[in-house]
Amino acid sequence: MKTAYVGVYETWADWEIGYLLVELRTGRFTGEQWNVVTVGETTDPVTTMGGLRIVPDMVLADVEPEDGDLFVLAGSAQWDEGGGEAFAKTAQRFLEAGVPVAAICGATAGLARAGVLDDRRHTSAVKEYLLATGYQGGDNYVDERAVVDGDLITAGPDSPVQFARAAMQRLGLASDEKLDAYEGVFHRADPSAYPALVG
């Protein structure tokens, strides 16, 4: 069974990666269940932005890229306050090892500050948000809901469904037709597309 490591921290934006985590853990859409392992800087409980209390399964210092298949980072107040450096460094290690990293909303700012986005196509809330970090990757910013560049998946805060879709596509968990139907369901697309979800 493959493993997705999920960074958790105070004010973690739980809804931003909810679609992705549900599909990975249950396999209800992809037919493949994953281990979803929460990772904190310590094992002390953290409280999400939605008020859920999470006790991390393991500490960040013990996470090794070769033991996982994906590293997921959501937004939180810490990114806008200049925090999250340890998580950004871990993301860099995963990318250097050829293991995918999926970052959404504020987490993209953390990766920008760490230089991770300088040479990779990416997206976020808006280009100006990342430029405020002082990063050098502005020329690689793409104004799309979600962007995949090799092993890096990024998305803005208004795109949790597209984020999930992009990650599942990068991981090879479903066909393009099925992913189109998946995204369509959550955007009230033509119901005639729905059979592709179970086909």
Side-chain angles (χ1 to χ4, degrees):
M1 188 178 286
K2 293 182 177 179
T3 297
Y5 289 118
V6 182
V8 294
Y9 20 78
E10 288 296 323
T11 69
W12 181 68
D14 30 17
W15 73 94
E16 291 178 344
I17 62 176
Y19 289 99
L20 175 59
L21 297 189
V22 165
E23 303 309 341
L24 291 177
R25 193 186 74 79
T26 67
R28 65 178 187 167
F29 172 70
T30 64
E32 180 182 337
Q33 290 182 301
W34 283 46
N35 286 320
V36 173
V37 179
T38 55
V39 179
E41 288 195 76
T42 71
T43 54
D44 293 339
V46 298
T47 302
T48 72
M49 206 173 290
L52 301 179
R53 183 174 180 269
I54 296 179
V55 178
D57 296 315
M58 62 185 299
V59 295
L60 191 61
D62 293 337
V63 172
E64 296 296 338
E66 58 265 29
D67 297 330
D69 303 280
L70 178 68
F71 187 50
V72 183
L73 295 171
S76 80
Q78 76 162 354
W79 301 113
D80 293 335
E81 295 166 356
E85 182 179 351
F87 289 97
K89 285 182 177 179
T90 299
Q92 181 70 64
R93 288 197 302 119
F94 269 66
L95 291 169
E96 289 171 353
V99 181
V101 170
I104 186 169
C105 190
T108 63
L111 297 187
R113 271 195 306 278
V116 175
L117 305 184
D118 287 352
D119 300 312
R120 295 178 173 90
R121 293 173 67 252
H122 59 275
T123 194
S124 184
V126 291
K127 184 176 183 178
E128 291 74 15
Y129 174 62
L130 296 184
L131 289 173
T133 68
Y135 90 133
Q136 304 301 306
D139 289 343
N140 293 314
Y141 187 88
V142 182
D143 189 15
E144 297 288 347
R145 302 289 293 268
V147 171
V148 179
D149 185 340
D151 292 321
L152 179 67
I153 304 114
T154 53
D158 61 343
S159 304
V161 173
Q162 291 81 6
F163 180 66
R165 181 220 162 101
M168 289 188 285
Q169 183 177 41
R170 167 59 190 83
L171 296 168
L173 296 177
S175 67
D176 286 345
E177 179 186 19
K178 200 169 181 182
L179 289 167
D180 286 344
Y182 172 84
E183 185 176 351
V185 165
F186 295 105
H187 286 276
R188 301 188 184 278
D190 181 348
S192 66
Y194 296 2
L197 287 173
V198 294

